[in-house]
Amino acid sequence: MPTAKRLMQVSDSIDIAADPGRLYEMVSDPTRMGEWSPENLGATVVNPAADGAAFVGMVFDGRNRRGRTKWVTRCTVTAAEPGAHFAFRVHAIGPKTPRLKGANASWEYRFAVTEDGRTRVTETWFDDRIKWPDAVAGVFDRIVTRGMTFPEFQRRNIAKTLEALRTAVESR
C-alpha cells in the first residue's frame, strides 16, 4: 500500500498595515523573533555588522523552547534583501550549545506591497532533513511535537507568529 510522501515545506501569509522596510527590519533582527514566535526566545548574533543590519553570512544562535524542553540552534542568513526577502538555514542544534551539526530546516520571509498599500508577509519553513527516511522523520516528529508532523506543527506556529507580528505592529 503506497504512503504519502513527506511534506517538505509549509507557508502562510498575512497582510499587515506597515511598510515592508519596517517589517523587514523587525523580522531580520533575530534577537527580536522571540517577541512573536511561540517557540523562539530570541537569539545572539555571533558576527554582527557594525550597523546592526542583517547580511548574507550573518550567524546567530537561536534560543528555543517547546514545553519544558529548551535548545539552541546555529543559523546562517542566506538572503538579506531589505524590504523584500530574509532567509536563514538552521545547521546545528543542541540542548545548551549548537554542537550537533547537520541540515535541519530553513526559514524564509518575503515582503510584498498589496494593492491596498498593506504589506503581505509570507513565512515559509523548509524541512532540510532530506536524508532522513520518511518513517524515521515521522516517528521523531510525533515524539517531539506531541503527536504532529513537523509540517503540521510549523503551519500552526507560522500562523501564530504572523498574527503576533501583525498585532505588535498594528496596535502601536
Side-chain angles (χ1 to χ4, degrees), residues 55-60 74-79 87-91:
F55 61 93
V56 172
M58 181 176 86
V59 176
F60 62 93
R74 171 68 47 100
C75 307
T76 299
V77 173
T78 57
F88 62 91
R89 66 184 171 88
V90 181
H91 52 87

Side-chain angles (χ1 to χ4, degrees), residues 61-62 71-75 90-104:
D61 290 346
W71 70 98
V72 178
T73 56
R74 171 68 47 100
C75 307
V90 181
H91 52 87
I93 191 169
K96 294 186 181 190
T97 58
R99 293 179 195 249
L100 181 60
K101 295 180 178 164
N104 185 304

Side-chain angles (χ1 to χ4, degrees), residues 49-54:
D51 64 359

Side-chain angles (χ1 to χ4, degrees), residues 35 42 47 60-61 66 69 80-81 120 122 143-144 150 161:
E35 297 175 33
N47 59 340
F60 62 93
D61 290 346
R66 185 179 306 134
T69 305
E81 302 168 38
R120 177 158 299 135
T122 301
I143 290 168
V144 300
F150 264 125
T161 299

Side-chain angles (χ1 to χ4, degrees), residues 4-27:
K5 183 138 177 76
R6 185 167 100 215
L7 188 59
M8 300 301 285
Q9 81 178 61
V10 293
S11 67
D12 198 358
S13 300
I14 196 166
D15 293 351
I16 301 176
D19 176 77
R22 176 176 176 219
L23 292 166
Y24 171 88
E25 284 180 20
M26 293 171 72
V27 170

